[in-house]
Amino acid sequence: LLSEEHLPKLYWQGDSLSNFSGVDLPAKFVIKTNHDSGSVWICSGDCLPFPQNLVSEVDLALSRTYGGASGEFPYLLIRPQVLIEEFVPAESEKDRPCDYKFHCVDGKVAFLQLICDRGKSPNEVLVDRNGEVLDFNLDPRFQGTREFRKPSNWTDLLAQVETVAEGWKYVRVDSYLNGSRLLFGELTFFPHAGWYQGR
């Protein structure tokens, strides 16, 4: 059911971006850290060689201790690494793909939190496992919307997500949709540090 095709291609990983060498990168790619939240840089080929200000920003993110202050203690056990990954193109001409965040309970999708237009005017819609729009939102930072177009392979997407979520009491499976191909980004066990409040 799942294979490496469901993961963005990993081009390189290391302890610091200053150690990068020996890998040909495509025209567009993503730099991220593995131990925290939100440390992501979308880069084009014109940022090679990596400028010192970018190296410093990434190193600063790697040096941060994440999880203790918010009670997300498992993050403290992760060895900080910088990853260079495949850039997933958006469904349209937008800069970034929509985030498909599947909230799963006891291995089953309870609802999808879809976030689009990041970096511009982010909006969020919640839908149940049948693809029906719910009448509340989670994140006050995003504009709430009630618009959702159910993918034609919705049933397959649920099955793929539930394969990953199997065995967990709760997990949010963060992913992207590239055409009909579901790409998994990460598993989140403490969304918003557990402080989401529906609105």
Side-chain angles (χ1 to χ4, degrees):
L1 185 61
L2 299 179
S3 68
E4 289 185 5
E5 291 184 2
H6 294 282
L7 296 175
K9 185 174 181 180
L10 177 64
Y11 300 117
W12 184 84
Q13 73 180 78
D15 296 317
S16 170
L17 201 58
S18 61
N19 298 330
F20 174 81
S21 65
V23 178
D24 291 329
L25 295 176
K28 204 165 189 178
F29 52 90
V30 175
I31 299 172
K32 62 171 67 171
T33 53
N34 70 331
H35 74 299
D36 63 353
S37 176
S39 295
V40 178
W41 297 263
I42 298 175
C43 296
S44 300
D46 57 6
C47 75
L48 292 171
F50 296 125
Q52 186 54 48
N53 66 316
L54 176 59
V55 174
S56 298
E57 284 183 28
V58 176
D59 282 347
L60 178 62
L62 290 167
S63 71
R64 293 192 189 107
T65 300
Y66 184 84
S70 58
E72 302 171 274
F73 301 111
Y75 287 104
L76 299 173
L77 304 177
I78 299 174
R79 175 187 171 188
Q81 293 269 284
V82 56
L83 312 176
I84 301 179
E85 292 184 347
E86 171 188 0
F87 173 77
V88 180
E91 291 91 340
S92 63
E93 297 302 317
K94 299 170 185 176
D95 290 336
R96 302 184 185 185
C98 294
D99 293 313
Y100 286 75
K101 298 179 179 294
F102 292 91
H103 294 251
C104 302
V105 178
D106 291 328
K108 299 295 182 182
V109 173
F111 64 92
L112 165 67
Q113 178 186 15
L114 179 64
I115 302 171
C116 297
D117 292 340
R118 282 192 185 273
K120 294 183 178 179
S121 180
N123 61 77
E124 171 197 72
V125 61
L126 272 60
V127 300
D128 65 19
R129 63 176 293 112
N130 297 316
E132 298 296 327
V133 175
L134 300 171
D135 62 355
F136 68 96
N137 293 92
L138 284 180
D139 201 318
R141 298 170 298 174
F142 305 141
Q143 178 181 344
T145 179
R146 298 292 181 263
E147 297 180 7
F148 176 71
R149 184 177 63 188
K150 186 164 69 172
S152 59
N153 60 336
W154 178 251
T155 301
D156 290 338
L157 297 183
L158 295 183
Q160 292 165 8
V161 169
E162 290 175 351
T163 297
V164 174
E166 184 178 359
W168 298 107
K169 192 69 177 176
Y170 169 84
V171 64
R172 192 185 75 192
V173 180
D174 298 350
S175 53
Y176 308 97
L177 197 59
N178 182 12
S180 61
R181 175 187 174 211
L182 190 68
L183 291 170
F184 295 104
E186 62 184 45
L187 302 180
T188 299
F189 297 93
F190 309 95
H192 206 50
W195 286 100
Y196 270 135
Q197 294 182 350
R199 57 183 172 87

